[in-house]
Amino acid sequence: MSQIPIVEYLSLDDPPHLVANECKNCKARFFDRRNACGNCGTTEFQKAKVSSTGKLVAFSIVHRAAPTIPVPYISGLVETDDNTTVRSNIIGVEPSPEHIELGMALELETYELEKDDKGTACIAFGYKPV
Amino acid sequence: MSQPVWILGVSMTKFARYEDEDCVDLASTAALAALNDGGISINEMDIMACGSLFQASAGLGQQVLGQIGQTGIPVYNVSNACATGATALRTVYMSIKAGESEMGLAVGVEKMGKMGLLAGADKKADENVYEPSGRYGSVVSVDGILGTNTMPGVFAQAGMKYAYENDGVGFEQFAKVAYKNHKHSILNPLAQYQKEFSEEEIQQSPMMSYPNTLLMCCPTGDGAAAAVLVSDEKLKTLSAEQQDRAVKISASVLTSDPYVEGGQVQPDVNTLTRNAAEKAYEEAGVGPDELDLVELHDCFATAELIHYDNLKLCESGGAGDFIDSGAPFRDGKLPVNVSGGLISKGHPIGATGIANVFEVSTHLRNEAGDRQIEGAKVGLTHVIGLGSSCGIHILEK
């Protein structure tokens, strides 16, 4: 069964984790492909493994979205233990304010989102309470 | 120190959903009204800037001049997210400051109809075979999987981050912001909506992106605003009445967002606003405690609240207390968005950054009728467009 990560910055190596393009000069981290560093302008990068644990620093419970997107869901900003901010859905929690606490400890989890016409599984990630 | 630039005439159309009028009609209406307000002709304009987010590529500025006076002056069609109108105004301002022009016309316009959330999942291709594409090498649209791209959600997260970092901020405070702006709008005949809602009604209206309910979100809509700017030297040659009604632009500032960690996943709407505010206060020689009114970018209730802090209208970390104290209500210590704000006055994107200048100028001229803030002498306008761009103007009479 073949698999593909939803984005290239998700590594499916065991255990799955996020990988950033890290500026060699200033250590700024980016998830997109880079032309140069947005912080210092230099062009040398290295791959950096991002910590899979962190805390919730902001969220929204989204009730209105494009028709293909199931709602409600929790969108969150996660500050990892190595101080990298990641945006993702928060999973394994009821999407209502009383079940979500700012500052709560979270960890990365991957899951199969769907398969394409050739049977390749798209692996997505989210963060769930520790 | 170079000489100041003045607002000679300013106008806005009512914000609404127009069925028949197109952008050219709306922009021309606003432009003619601003020229008329300034007692001046299109023939006197040395430059024109026309702001529209969705139609800037259509040569809208030239089309407007085609309707109101095709004098051959340079036209700049500008587009800068929700700071588009402020950017048009500042384009004319810079030309006058540079000594290239004595007078100029800035117009902002947008026709949005019912565009909805302004972001969302892309359509999938017919054949579905995963192929990494784009800057993140994604194989499907990530909206709704790796968090939200929708505006109500992005600004909800901005507000919730503030709530995480500061005490006394939550759903009730955000609702109170919307309560205030809806209440203010009943005095503004140019507002898209003029209806008061109770705090309870706001909290119980349909949830868009917690904590932003429907009544905490600005509507989409249509409208235009325009301003005629004049150099100090030229103003002195005009009539006593024109000089008397002119409003001084004490500061005109535009910033983009500097690098911050996390900015790549959640646009940072704070730092560039703080930078712009600091520069504007310094340029004007005016402190936030000297402001009589503020029109700031309340695209969502969560946004207004954090900008109290970014613009230094309150103590650092004290935005929750600020709204709870009643300070930004029209009878409070520092009225904010007495027009009804984007939440109720409306937000035709290109028009917004000139419409707020219209609002503040009208108060400074003591011509705001029922919604006049008595004795207003100094005001600030603020817009921010995601991506990001922040425009601030400080106006004085």
Side-chain angles (χ1 to χ4, degrees):
Chain A
M1 174 67 72
S2 66
Q3 295 184 326
I4 190 166
I6 182 168
V7 286
E8 280 177 348
Y9 63 89
L10 171 64
S11 165
L12 299 181
D13 290 352
D14 196 32
H17 60 276
L18 301 185
V19 178
N21 291 315
E22 186 177 81
C23 174
K24 281 188 178 174
N25 180 50
C26 73
K27 307 295 181 219
R29 288 177 168 184
F30 303 93
F31 291 126
D32 65 343
R33 67 167 187 252
R34 299 303 303 177
N35 301 93
C37 175
N39 187 36
C40 73
T42 62
T43 54
E44 299 279 310
F45 289 87
Q46 60 201 6
K47 295 289 179 191
K49 184 176 175 179
V50 177
S51 169
S52 291
T53 54
K55 61 185 178 182
L56 183 70
V57 297
F59 71 90
S60 177
I61 306 168
V62 180
H63 289 256
R64 294 285 178 90
T68 53
I69 297 171
V71 288
Y73 68 89
I74 308 166
S75 171
L77 299 179
V78 179
E79 191 179 300
T80 65
D81 293 339
D82 51 358
N83 296 315
T84 302
T85 307
V86 183
R87 194 191 71 186
S88 165
N89 284 12
I90 306 304
I91 57 180
V93 189
E94 283 289 309
S96 63
E98 61 271 24
H99 291 100
I100 309 163
E101 199 178 332
L102 285 166
M104 68 200 282
L106 300 167
E107 64 185 2
L108 184 89
E109 177 155 285
T110 54
Y111 60 94
E112 182 182 317
L113 182 70
E114 57 185 29
K115 286 190 175 74
D116 71 5
D117 294 345
K118 292 182 174 172
T120 303
C122 170
I123 306 300
F125 70 89
Y127 287 84
K128 63 170 188 185
V130 173
Chain B
M1 186 80 178
S2 62
Q3 295 301 308
V5 174
W6 300 77
I7 293 165
L8 184 64
V10 64
S11 76
M12 68 177 277
T13 68
K14 181 178 169 65
F15 286 176
R17 289 203 172 92
Y18 291 93
E19 290 202 3
D20 294 330
E21 292 90 340
D22 60 18
C23 275
V24 177
D25 292 318
L26 293 170
S28 299
T29 300
L32 288 169
L35 290 164
N36 187 49
D37 181 57
I40 207 86
S41 153
I42 186 68
N43 295 307
E44 306 278 341
M45 298 299 111
D46 302 315
I47 178 176
M48 191 243 205
C50 185
S52 173
L53 181 59
F54 297 110
Q55 298 218 336
S57 62
L60 206 51
Q62 286 86 340
Q63 291 193 58
V64 171
L65 287 187
Q67 293 297 319
I68 68 170
Q70 214 168 325
T71 58
I73 56 174
V75 170
Y76 296 83
N77 290 295
V78 305
S79 170
N80 213 0
C82 297
T84 292
T87 304
L89 190 80
R90 192 168 151 66
T91 301
V92 173
Y93 174 92
M94 288 192 295
S95 176
I96 294 173
K97 271 279 180 186
E100 279 207 8
S101 311
E102 289 186 321
M103 279 200 266
L105 174 65
V107 186
V109 64
E110 209 73 59
K111 202 161 179 216
M112 302 169 76
K114 294 191 172 185
M115 288 180 81
L117 296 167
L118 302 189
D122 299 330
K123 275 191 178 165
K124 284 180 182 173
D126 291 341
E127 192 201 18
N128 187 22
V129 176
Y130 297 141
E131 188 66 44
S133 67
R135 302 199 66 87
Y136 296 91
S138 52
V139 297
V140 297
S141 169
V142 302
D143 184 35
I145 298 161
L146 304 183
T148 184
N149 285 336
T150 62
M151 293 297 119
V154 169
F155 280 95
Q157 288 174 168
M160 292 304 280
K161 186 133 192 281
Y162 188 84
Y164 174 59
E165 291 162 351
N166 299 282
D167 293 333
V169 177
F171 188 50
E172 283 178 27
Q173 282 67 39
F174 296 129
K176 212 171 283 184
V177 167
Y179 166 73
K180 170 181 71 70
N181 292 353
H182 285 291
K183 188 179 171 69
H184 284 169
S185 72
I186 62 176
L187 295 173
N188 185 1
L190 298 175
Q192 188 166 345
Y193 298 100
Q194 289 182 268
K195 191 174 175 191
E196 186 172 351
F197 297 91
S198 69
E199 289 177 53
E200 196 179 16
E201 284 175 307
I202 288 164
Q203 292 183 10
Q204 289 174 359
S205 71
M207 185 58 73
M208 301 298 283
S209 274
Y210 180 88
N212 285 320
T213 66
L214 182 66
L215 290 171
M216 298 187 208
C217 300
C218 69
T220 56
D222 316 331
V228 174
L229 273 52
V230 62
S231 71
D232 192 61
E233 201 179 351
K234 180 73 177 177
L235 179 64
K236 285 174 181 153
T237 69
L238 301 179
S239 74
E241 194 201 343
Q242 285 168 309
Q243 292 188 40
D244 191 48
R245 289 181 72 246
V247 173
K248 187 168 85 172
I249 302 176
S250 300
S252 172
V253 175
L254 191 71
T255 57
S256 65
D257 46 342
Y259 170 84
V260 294
E261 198 291 310
Q264 62 166 338
V265 295
Q266 163 81 12
D268 169 26
V269 299
N270 300 317
T271 312
L272 81 166
T273 298
R274 287 171 175 270
N275 289 351
E278 196 169 317
K279 198 170 171 209
Y281 290 134
E282 190 188 327
E283 201 171 297
V286 163
D289 55 332
E290 292 170 78
L291 299 174
D292 297 311
L293 77 160
V294 171
E295 288 284 310
L296 63 74
H297 204 73
D298 59 321
C299 44
F300 300 93
T302 47
E304 170 158 333
L305 191 109
I306 62 180
H307 292 316
Y308 295 153
D309 202 324
N310 291 329
L311 297 172
K312 297 185 177 166
L313 309 184
C314 65
E315 297 289 317
S316 177
D321 287 347
F322 189 70
I323 184 71
D324 282 341
S325 76
F329 284 75
R330 54 173 292 115
D331 57 354
K333 192 178 66 167
L334 177 47
V336 175
N337 289 333
V338 295
S339 66
L342 280 55
I343 285 176
S344 192
K345 180 179 70 175
H347 183 26
I349 293 175
T352 297
I354 298 179
N356 58 14
V357 168
F358 165 82
E359 182 68 19
V360 170
S361 298
T362 303
H363 287 271
L364 300 187
R365 287 165 154 186
N366 196 24
E367 295 174 358
D370 289 344
R371 68 182 190 285
Q372 177 67 40
I373 297 299
E374 289 304 324
K377 298 285 179 212
V378 189
L380 180 147
T381 67
H382 160 261
V383 283
I384 179 169
L386 270 196
S388 294
S389 187
C390 176
I392 291 184
H393 288 93
I394 294 179
L395 308 176
E396 282 185 89
K397 194 76 188 78

